[in-house]
Amino acid sequence: MSSIPKIVILGAGYAGILAAQRLQKDLNYNEADVTLVNRHDYHYFTTHLHMPAAGTDKLDNAREQISKLVDEFKIDVVKSNVQEIIPQEKKVILEDGTLSYDHLIICLGGEPETFGIPGMLENAMTIRSINSVRKIRDHIEAQFTAYKVDKKPERLTFVVGGAGFTGIEFIGELADRLQELCRTHGISRSEVKLYNVEAAPTALPGFDPELVEYAMKVLQNKGVTFKIGVAIKECLTDGVIVGENSEKIHANTVVWTGGIRGNRLVEQAGFEAMRGRVKIDEYLRAPGHENVYIIGDSSLMFNEEGRPYPPTAQISMQQGVLCAQNIVAAIRGQKPKAFVFSNKGTVASLGKGEAVGVVGDRKLKGFVAAQLKKVIDIRYLFIIGGVSLVMKKGKFL
């Protein structure tokens, strides 16, 4: 007795949403059952979280209901937490049930990588979800309110650990927000200290040096103090210890953006992983499991130079589309296609009206780069939700 193949997608991030949408488009009626599992009933735009975290945009502009992005007549959406993945039994254990599958797409998203820095997990905040963003925003605003009462300088000292894309984009927005909070609370901007600490020898590691220099100057003019080539040795409840001389920066606010690892559930499922990321084959499949696809932050792929691709939204989106196409091909007995990354360009925002970016051989900075960032945002909204979503999230732009 034949049965309809069951496809299970774990996670509704960039990779998961694009995979679900492609499957509902490409599959014929009754060709497969597709289930999308996510812990929330909304999809959030990870690359936009730095803005509501700083308080420069609304939380609702960084998310959209999954029910408005996929056709629930074609995709069964399950709101639940994944507890365990058992590839040997082709099962996924949820907090409230079990799902069996014929084809599995794992795109659960990454987790903060603290590199074993003592106290970082316990004492720092991270920009990883709508809830974590809300916590950061509320905490920052509370520090200004409390400072008016007790005048403790550590309340107005803010440390951002990591000067990669997330760290730089967040600190650019935060610098703008702090200026506004100072005006609102009648506090001099000179009383506020904003640090960006990076262990690598440069901010925006791997980015064009000319653009890195420009970005740092823009942020320094906004009041950011950089400590580059300086590692955070420990994160405490009242600040951080940095550098070889163990300097302490007294601060009530530490936001860690220093790294991402893959999801621990992937490691616990028995897949061979490095920092939670699995080296997948050219068809996006886990080694030894032709029916299991791992995409997004938990996947590890290498470019032609032998360097791993960074876990970006751009790659996740492209993986999601091809993954869906390859599953449809498998169901129909056709050959899969190899993943080839198409680099559309990279842009890092630096706060209002400022950004740096590279598109092909072109280096962009300032207002032009900032406008390109808006175009990228519009493009993603259009891809997943059409014109209506672009119009709805107008303030997003």
Side-chain angles (χ1 to χ4, degrees), residues 135-165:
K135 179 181 177 182
I136 293 171
R137 180 201 63 192
D138 293 347
H139 172 84
I140 290 171
E141 293 175 355
Q143 296 309 301
F144 276 80
T145 301
Y147 180 78
K148 293 292 289 184
V149 177
D150 59 28
K151 299 296 182 182
K152 293 181 178 179
E154 59 268 28
R155 293 197 182 279
L156 298 187
T157 302
F158 302 88
V159 177
V160 177
F165 269 71

PDB file of all heavy atoms in Angstrom, residues 135-165:
ATOM      1  N   LYS A 135      13.852  42.446  25.693  1.00  0.00           N
ATOM      2  CA  LYS A 135      14.577  42.543  26.959  1.00  0.00           C
ATOM      3  C   LYS A 135      15.684  43.592  26.882  1.00  0.00           C
ATOM      4  O   LYS A 135      15.853  44.402  27.805  1.00  0.00           O
ATOM      5  CB  LYS A 135      15.174  41.182  27.315  1.00  0.00           C
ATOM      6  CG  LYS A 135      15.979  41.168  28.595  1.00  0.00           C
ATOM      7  CD  LYS A 135      16.547  39.776  28.862  1.00  0.00           C
ATOM      8  CE  LYS A 135      17.434  39.777  30.111  1.00  0.00           C
ATOM      9  NZ  LYS A 135      18.026  38.429  30.348  1.00  0.00           N
ATOM     10  N   ILE A 136      16.431  43.598  25.785  1.00  0.00           N
ATOM     11  CA  ILE A 136      17.520  44.569  25.621  1.00  0.00           C
ATOM     12  C   ILE A 136      16.975  45.992  25.578  1.00  0.00           C
ATOM     13  O   ILE A 136      17.469  46.887  26.271  1.00  0.00           O
ATOM     14  CB  ILE A 136      18.322  44.264  24.339  1.00  0.00           C
ATOM     15  CG1 ILE A 136      19.072  42.934  24.486  1.00  0.00           C
ATOM     16  CG2 ILE A 136      19.319  45.388  24.046  1.00  0.00           C
ATOM     17  CD1 ILE A 136      19.702  42.445  23.198  1.00  0.00           C
ATOM     18  N   ARG A 137      15.944  46.194  24.767  1.00  0.00           N
ATOM     19  CA  ARG A 137      15.361  47.539  24.626  1.00  0.00           C
ATOM     20  C   ARG A 137      14.850  48.063  25.964  1.00  0.00           C
ATOM     21  O   ARG A 137      15.164  49.203  26.357  1.00  0.00           O
ATOM     22  CB  ARG A 137      14.216  47.484  23.618  1.00  0.00           C
ATOM     23  CG  ARG A 137      13.525  48.817  23.367  1.00  0.00           C
ATOM     24  CD  ARG A 137      12.141  48.595  22.795  1.00  0.00           C
ATOM     25  NE  ARG A 137      11.277  47.879  23.752  1.00  0.00           N
ATOM     26  CZ  ARG A 137      10.098  47.364  23.426  1.00  0.00           C
ATOM     27  NH1 ARG A 137       9.646  47.433  22.185  1.00  0.00           N
ATOM     28  NH2 ARG A 137       9.364  46.752  24.355  1.00  0.00           N
ATOM     29  N   ASP A 138      14.085  47.245  26.675  1.00  0.00           N
ATOM     30  CA  ASP A 138      13.520  47.669  27.956  1.00  0.00           C
ATOM     31  C   ASP A 138      14.620  47.922  28.982  1.00  0.00           C
ATOM     32  O   ASP A 138      14.538  48.861  29.788  1.00  0.00           O
ATOM     33  CB  ASP A 138      12.548  46.622  28.485  1.00  0.00           C
ATOM     34  CG  ASP A 138      11.297  46.498  27.627  1.00  0.00           C
ATOM     35  OD1 ASP A 138      11.074  47.382  26.772  1.00  0.00           O
ATOM     36  OD2 ASP A 138      10.552  45.511  27.804  1.00  0.00           O
ATOM     37  N   HIS A 139      15.652  47.091  28.958  1.00  0.00           N
ATOM     38  CA  HIS A 139      16.759  47.240  29.907  1.00  0.00           C
ATOM     39  C   HIS A 139      17.496  48.560  29.691  1.00  0.00           C
ATOM     40  O   HIS A 139      17.803  49.272  30.653  1.00  0.00           O
ATOM     41  CB  HIS A 139      17.724  46.067  29.759  1.00  0.00           C
ATOM     42  CG  HIS A 139      18.985  46.204  30.549  1.00  0.00           C
ATOM     43  ND1 HIS A 139      19.084  45.863  31.882  1.00  0.00           N
ATOM     44  CD2 HIS A 139      20.214  46.679  30.204  1.00  0.00           C
ATOM     45  CE1 HIS A 139      20.308  46.105  32.309  1.00  0.00           C
ATOM     46  NE2 HIS A 139      21.011  46.599  31.311  1.00  0.00           N
ATOM     47  N   ILE A 140      17.763  48.890  28.441  1.00  0.00           N
ATOM     48  CA  ILE A 140      18.482  50.132  28.136  1.00  0.00           C
ATOM     49  C   ILE A 140      17.683  51.342  28.607  1.00  0.00           C
ATOM     50  O   ILE A 140      18.229  52.261  29.244  1.00  0.00           O
ATOM     51  CB  ILE A 140      18.769  50.221  26.623  1.00  0.00           C
ATOM     52  CG1 ILE A 140      19.826  49.176  26.225  1.00  0.00           C
ATOM     53  CG2 ILE A 140      19.254  51.625  26.245  1.00  0.00           C
ATOM     54  CD1 ILE A 140      20.008  49.035  24.725  1.00  0.00           C
ATOM     55  N   GLU A 141      16.398  51.339  28.315  1.00  0.00           N
ATOM     56  CA  GLU A 141      15.569  52.474  28.723  1.00  0.00           C
ATOM     57  C   GLU A 141      15.473  52.574  30.239  1.00  0.00           C
ATOM     58  O   GLU A 141      15.464  53.684  30.798  1.00  0.00           O
ATOM     59  CB  GLU A 141      14.178  52.323  28.099  1.00  0.00           C
ATOM     60  CG  GLU A 141      14.189  52.464  26.583  1.00  0.00           C
ATOM     61  CD  GLU A 141      12.829  52.201  25.945  1.00  0.00           C
ATOM     62  OE1 GLU A 141      11.892  51.823  26.677  1.00  0.00           O
ATOM     63  OE2 GLU A 141      12.721  52.373  24.709  1.00  0.00           O
ATOM     64  N   ALA A 142      15.460  51.427  30.920  1.00  0.00           N
ATOM     65  CA  ALA A 142      15.388  51.433  32.387  1.00  0.00           C
ATOM     66  C   ALA A 142      16.653  52.017  33.012  1.00  0.00           C
ATOM     67  O   ALA A 142      16.586  52.629  34.094  1.00  0.00           O
ATOM     68  CB  ALA A 142      15.173  50.008  32.899  1.00  0.00           C
ATOM     69  N   GLN A 143      17.791  51.844  32.340  1.00  0.00           N
ATOM     70  CA  GLN A 143      19.040  52.384  32.879  1.00  0.00           C
ATOM     71  C   GLN A 143      19.007  53.917  32.939  1.00  0.00           C
ATOM     72  O   GLN A 143      19.503  54.525  33.892  1.00  0.00           O
ATOM     73  CB  GLN A 143      20.235  51.918  32.032  1.00  0.00           C
ATOM     74  CG  GLN A 143      20.466  50.426  32.033  1.00  0.00           C
ATOM     75  CD  GLN A 143      20.518  49.840  33.434  1.00  0.00           C
ATOM     76  OE1 GLN A 143      21.338  50.215  34.254  1.00  0.00           O
ATOM     77  NE2 GLN A 143      19.613  48.899  33.702  1.00  0.00           N
ATOM     78  N   PHE A 144      18.427  54.522  31.926  1.00  0.00           N
ATOM     79  CA  PHE A 144      18.331  55.986  31.921  1.00  0.00           C
ATOM     80  C   PHE A 144      17.387  56.475  33.018  1.00  0.00           C
ATOM     81  O   PHE A 144      17.671  57.473  33.700  1.00  0.00           O
ATOM     82  CB  PHE A 144      17.862  56.473  30.547  1.00  0.00           C
ATOM     83  CG  PHE A 144      18.965  56.611  29.550  1.00  0.00           C
ATOM     84  CD1 PHE A 144      19.448  55.496  28.878  1.00  0.00           C
ATOM     85  CD2 PHE A 144      19.551  57.840  29.287  1.00  0.00           C
ATOM     86  CE1 PHE A 144      20.481  55.611  27.966  1.00  0.00           C
ATOM     87  CE2 PHE A 144      20.583  57.966  28.382  1.00  0.00           C
ATOM     88  CZ  PHE A 144      21.054  56.848  27.710  1.00  0.00           C
ATOM     89  N   THR A 145      16.284  55.780  33.187  1.00  0.00           N
ATOM     90  CA  THR A 145      15.339  56.159  34.232  1.00  0.00           C
ATOM     91  C   THR A 145      15.976  56.055  35.611  1.00  0.00           C
ATOM     92  O   THR A 145      15.835  56.960  36.457  1.00  0.00           O
ATOM     93  CB  THR A 145      14.086  55.266  34.163  1.00  0.00           C
ATOM     94  OG1 THR A 145      13.474  55.404  32.874  1.00  0.00           O
ATOM     95  CG2 THR A 145      13.087  55.648  35.240  1.00  0.00           C
ATOM     96  N   ALA A 146      16.704  54.948  35.848  1.00  0.00           N
ATOM     97  CA  ALA A 146      17.333  54.737  37.155  1.00  0.00           C
ATOM     98  C   ALA A 146      18.475  55.723  37.400  1.00  0.00           C
ATOM     99  O   ALA A 146      18.708  56.152  38.538  1.00  0.00           O
ATOM    100  CB  ALA A 146      17.849  53.302  37.250  1.00  0.00           C
ATOM    101  N   TYR A 147      19.171  56.093  36.333  1.00  0.00           N
ATOM    102  CA  TYR A 147      20.302  57.021  36.484  1.00  0.00           C
ATOM    103  C   TYR A 147      19.851  58.384  37.000  1.00  0.00           C
ATOM    104  O   TYR A 147      20.587  59.051  37.760  1.00  0.00           O
ATOM    105  CB  TYR A 147      21.025  57.185  35.144  1.00  0.00           C
ATOM    106  CG  TYR A 147      22.203  58.136  35.204  1.00  0.00           C
ATOM    107  CD1 TYR A 147      23.413  57.731  35.748  1.00  0.00           C
ATOM    108  CD2 TYR A 147      22.095  59.443  34.721  1.00  0.00           C
ATOM    109  CE1 TYR A 147      24.491  58.605  35.805  1.00  0.00           C
ATOM    110  CE2 TYR A 147      23.161  60.317  34.777  1.00  0.00           C
ATOM    111  CZ  TYR A 147      24.357  59.894  35.320  1.00  0.00           C
ATOM    112  OH  TYR A 147      25.430  60.768  35.375  1.00  0.00           O
ATOM    113  N   LYS A 148      18.672  58.793  36.647  1.00  0.00           N
ATOM    114  CA  LYS A 148      18.159  60.074  37.121  1.00  0.00           C
ATOM    115  C   LYS A 148      17.991  60.073  38.634  1.00  0.00           C
ATOM    116  O   LYS A 148      17.998  61.134  39.270  1.00  0.00           O
ATOM    117  CB  LYS A 148      16.811  60.375  36.451  1.00  0.00           C
ATOM    118  CG  LYS A 148      16.896  60.613  34.957  1.00  0.00           C
ATOM    119  CD  LYS A 148      17.622  61.899  34.618  1.00  0.00           C
ATOM    120  CE  LYS A 148      16.802  63.115  34.976  1.00  0.00           C
ATOM    121  NZ  LYS A 148      17.447  64.377  34.560  1.00  0.00           N
ATOM    122  N   VAL A 149      17.884  58.872  39.222  1.00  0.00           N
ATOM    123  CA  VAL A 149      17.691  58.746  40.664  1.00  0.00           C
ATOM    124  C   VAL A 149      19.009  58.546  41.401  1.00  0.00           C
ATOM    125  O   VAL A 149      19.315  59.253  42.365  1.00  0.00           O
ATOM    126  CB  VAL A 149      16.728  57.568  40.986  1.00  0.00           C
ATOM    127  CG1 VAL A 149      16.583  57.399  42.505  1.00  0.00           C
ATOM    128  CG2 VAL A 149      15.376  57.803  40.340  1.00  0.00           C
ATOM    129  N   ASP A 150      19.830  57.559  40.927  1.00  0.00           N
ATOM    130  CA  ASP A 150      21.023  57.205  41.717  1.00  0.00           C
ATOM    131  C   ASP A 150      22.346  57.709  41.142  1.00  0.00           C
ATOM    132  O   ASP A 150      23.382  57.628  41.811  1.00  0.00           O
ATOM    133  CB  ASP A 150      21.100  55.691  41.918  1.00  0.00           C
ATOM    134  CG  ASP A 150      21.152  54.910  40.617  1.00  0.00           C
ATOM    135  OD1 ASP A 150      21.636  55.442  39.604  1.00  0.00           O
ATOM    136  OD2 ASP A 150      20.706  53.738  40.611  1.00  0.00           O
ATOM    137  N   LYS A 151      22.354  58.190  39.888  1.00  0.00           N
ATOM    138  CA  LYS A 151      23.552  58.764  39.259  1.00  0.00           C
ATOM    139  C   LYS A 151      24.733  57.783  39.176  1.00  0.00           C
ATOM    140  O   LYS A 151      25.882  58.199  39.085  1.00  0.00           O
ATOM    141  CB  LYS A 151      24.008  60.028  40.015  1.00  0.00           C
ATOM    142  CG  LYS A 151      22.984  61.141  40.047  1.00  0.00           C
ATOM    143  CD  LYS A 151      22.686  61.673  38.646  1.00  0.00           C
ATOM    144  CE  LYS A 151      21.688  62.824  38.692  1.00  0.00           C
ATOM    145  NZ  LYS A 151      21.354  63.316  37.332  1.00  0.00           N
ATOM    146  N   LYS A 152      24.458  56.488  39.162  1.00  0.00           N
ATOM    147  CA  LYS A 152      25.548  55.513  39.044  1.00  0.00           C
ATOM    148  C   LYS A 152      26.052  55.489  37.603  1.00  0.00           C
ATOM    149  O   LYS A 152      25.298  55.195  36.670  1.00  0.00           O
ATOM    150  CB  LYS A 152      25.057  54.128  39.450  1.00  0.00           C
ATOM    151  CG  LYS A 152      24.708  54.000  40.930  1.00  0.00           C
ATOM    152  CD  LYS A 152      24.240  52.583  41.258  1.00  0.00           C
ATOM    153  CE  LYS A 152      23.931  52.461  42.748  1.00  0.00           C
ATOM    154  NZ  LYS A 152      23.456  51.071  43.080  1.00  0.00           N
ATOM    155  N   PRO A 153      27.341  55.792  37.382  1.00  0.00           N
ATOM    156  CA  PRO A 153      27.862  55.898  36.007  1.00  0.00           C
ATOM    157  C   PRO A 153      27.778  54.612  35.204  1.00  0.00           C
ATOM    158  O   PRO A 153      27.671  54.656  33.978  1.00  0.00           O
ATOM    159  CB  PRO A 153      29.324  56.320  36.223  1.00  0.00           C
ATOM    160  CG  PRO A 153      29.649  55.933  37.629  1.00  0.00           C
ATOM    161  CD  PRO A 153      28.379  56.073  38.395  1.00  0.00           C
ATOM    162  N   GLU A 154      27.820  53.448  35.884  1.00  0.00           N
ATOM    163  CA  GLU A 154      27.758  52.181  35.146  1.00  0.00           C
ATOM    164  C   GLU A 154      26.413  51.988  34.448  1.00  0.00           C
ATOM    165  O   GLU A 154      26.293  51.183  33.518  1.00  0.00           O
ATOM    166  CB  GLU A 154      28.041  50.993  36.073  1.00  0.00           C
ATOM    167  CG  GLU A 154      27.104  50.844  37.253  1.00  0.00           C
ATOM    168  CD  GLU A 154      27.611  51.552  38.508  1.00  0.00           C
ATOM    169  OE1 GLU A 154      28.361  52.553  38.364  1.00  0.00           O
ATOM    170  OE2 GLU A 154      27.259  51.085  39.616  1.00  0.00           O
ATOM    171  N   ARG A 155      25.394  52.727  34.877  1.00  0.00           N
ATOM    172  CA  ARG A 155      24.092  52.628  34.202  1.00  0.00           C
ATOM    173  C   ARG A 155      24.160  53.196  32.789  1.00  0.00           C
ATOM    174  O   ARG A 155      23.411  52.766  31.904  1.00  0.00           O
ATOM    175  CB  ARG A 155      23.019  53.351  35.001  1.00  0.00           C
ATOM    176  CG  ARG A 155      22.690  52.708  36.343  1.00  0.00           C
ATOM    177  CD  ARG A 155      21.363  53.217  36.873  1.00  0.00           C
ATOM    178  NE  ARG A 155      21.039  52.652  38.166  1.00  0.00           N
ATOM    179  CZ  ARG A 155      20.507  51.439  38.346  1.00  0.00           C
ATOM    180  NH1 ARG A 155      20.266  50.680  37.298  1.00  0.00           N
ATOM    181  NH2 ARG A 155      20.236  51.008  39.569  1.00  0.00           N
ATOM    182  N   LEU A 156      25.030  54.158  32.587  1.00  0.00           N
ATOM    183  CA  LEU A 156      25.149  54.793  31.281  1.00  0.00           C
ATOM    184  C   LEU A 156      26.394  54.324  30.532  1.00  0.00           C
ATOM    185  O   LEU A 156      26.877  54.999  29.621  1.00  0.00           O
ATOM    186  CB  LEU A 156      25.158  56.314  31.423  1.00  0.00           C
ATOM    187  CG  LEU A 156      23.900  56.950  32.032  1.00  0.00           C
ATOM    188  CD1 LEU A 156      23.968  58.461  31.949  1.00  0.00           C
ATOM    189  CD2 LEU A 156      22.630  56.439  31.346  1.00  0.00           C
ATOM    190  N   THR A 157      26.902  53.156  30.907  1.00  0.00           N
ATOM    191  CA  THR A 157      28.017  52.543  30.195  1.00  0.00           C
ATOM    192  C   THR A 157      27.515  51.277  29.512  1.00  0.00           C
ATOM    193  O   THR A 157      26.960  50.386  30.160  1.00  0.00           O
ATOM    194  CB  THR A 157      29.174  52.183  31.150  1.00  0.00           C
ATOM    195  OG1 THR A 157      29.606  53.372  31.831  1.00  0.00           O
ATOM    196  CG2 THR A 157      30.342  51.592  30.390  1.00  0.00           C
ATOM    197  N   PHE A 158      27.704  51.233  28.196  1.00  0.00           N
ATOM    198  CA  PHE A 158      27.168  50.140  27.393  1.00  0.00           C
ATOM    199  C   PHE A 158      28.301  49.466  26.632  1.00  0.00           C
ATOM    200  O   PHE A 158      29.105  50.141  25.976  1.00  0.00           O
ATOM    201  CB  PHE A 158      26.114  50.673  26.418  1.00  0.00           C
ATOM    202  CG  PHE A 158      24.977  51.376  27.101  1.00  0.00           C
ATOM    203  CD1 PHE A 158      25.055  52.743  27.381  1.00  0.00           C
ATOM    204  CD2 PHE A 158      23.849  50.686  27.503  1.00  0.00           C
ATOM    205  CE1 PHE A 158      24.015  53.402  28.021  1.00  0.00           C
ATOM    206  CE2 PHE A 158      22.803  51.334  28.149  1.00  0.00           C
ATOM    207  CZ  PHE A 158      22.886  52.693  28.414  1.00  0.00           C
ATOM    208  N   VAL A 159      28.370  48.144  26.736  1.00  0.00           N
ATOM    209  CA  VAL A 159      29.418  47.369  26.085  1.00  0.00           C
ATOM    210  C   VAL A 159      28.790  46.420  25.072  1.00  0.00           C
ATOM    211  O   VAL A 159      27.889  45.656  25.416  1.00  0.00           O
ATOM    212  CB  VAL A 159      30.245  46.560  27.103  1.00  0.00           C
ATOM    213  CG1 VAL A 159      31.289  45.699  26.382  1.00  0.00           C
ATOM    214  CG2 VAL A 159      30.921  47.484  28.113  1.00  0.00           C
ATOM    215  N   VAL A 160      29.271  46.484  23.848  1.00  0.00           N
ATOM    216  CA  VAL A 160      28.853  45.542  22.808  1.00  0.00           C
ATOM    217  C   VAL A 160      30.051  44.665  22.488  1.00  0.00           C
ATOM    218  O   VAL A 160      31.087  45.162  22.029  1.00  0.00           O
ATOM    219  CB  VAL A 160      28.360  46.267  21.537  1.00  0.00           C
ATOM    220  CG1 VAL A 160      27.998  45.246  20.452  1.00  0.00           C
ATOM    221  CG2 VAL A 160      27.168  47.160  21.864  1.00  0.00           C
ATOM    222  N   GLY A 161      29.937  43.384  22.741  1.00  0.00           N
ATOM    223  CA  GLY A 161      31.014  42.450  22.463  1.00  0.00           C
ATOM    224  C   GLY A 161      30.896  41.893  21.066  1.00  0.00           C
ATOM    225  O   GLY A 161      29.883  41.293  20.709  1.00  0.00           O
ATOM    226  N   GLY A 162      31.927  42.107  20.253  1.00  0.00           N
ATOM    227  CA  GLY A 162      31.911  41.632  18.878  1.00  0.00           C
ATOM    228  C   GLY A 162      31.688  42.761  17.890  1.00  0.00           C
ATOM    229  O   GLY A 162      30.770  43.565  18.056  1.00  0.00           O
ATOM    230  N   ALA A 163      32.555  42.814  16.857  1.00  0.00           N
ATOM    231  CA  ALA A 163      32.429  43.856  15.836  1.00  0.00           C
ATOM    232  C   ALA A 163      32.211  43.241  14.460  1.00  0.00           C
ATOM    233  O   ALA A 163      32.708  43.747  13.451  1.00  0.00           O
ATOM    234  CB  ALA A 163      33.674  44.752  15.831  1.00  0.00           C
ATOM    235  N   GLY A 164      31.470  42.129  14.431  1.00  0.00           N
ATOM    236  CA  GLY A 164      31.026  41.585  13.159  1.00  0.00           C
ATOM    237  C   GLY A 164      29.817  42.370  12.680  1.00  0.00           C
ATOM    238  O   GLY A 164      29.536  43.469  13.183  1.00  0.00           O
ATOM    239  N   PHE A 165      29.071  41.819  11.729  1.00  0.00           N
ATOM    240  CA  PHE A 165      27.948  42.567  11.166  1.00  0.00           C
ATOM    241  C   PHE A 165      26.889  42.905  12.206  1.00  0.00           C
ATOM    242  O   PHE A 165      26.423  44.040  12.280  1.00  0.00           O
ATOM    243  CB  PHE A 165      27.330  41.782   9.999  1.00  0.00           C
ATOM    244  CG  PHE A 165      27.933  42.130   8.680  1.00  0.00           C
ATOM    245  CD1 PHE A 165      29.222  41.725   8.370  1.00  0.00           C
ATOM    246  CD2 PHE A 165      27.244  42.877   7.759  1.00  0.00           C
ATOM    247  CE1 PHE A 165      29.798  42.055   7.161  1.00  0.00           C
ATOM    248  CE2 PHE A 165      27.816  43.224   6.541  1.00  0.00           C
ATOM    249  CZ  PHE A 165      29.099  42.808   6.241  1.00  0.00           C
TER     250      PHE A 165
END
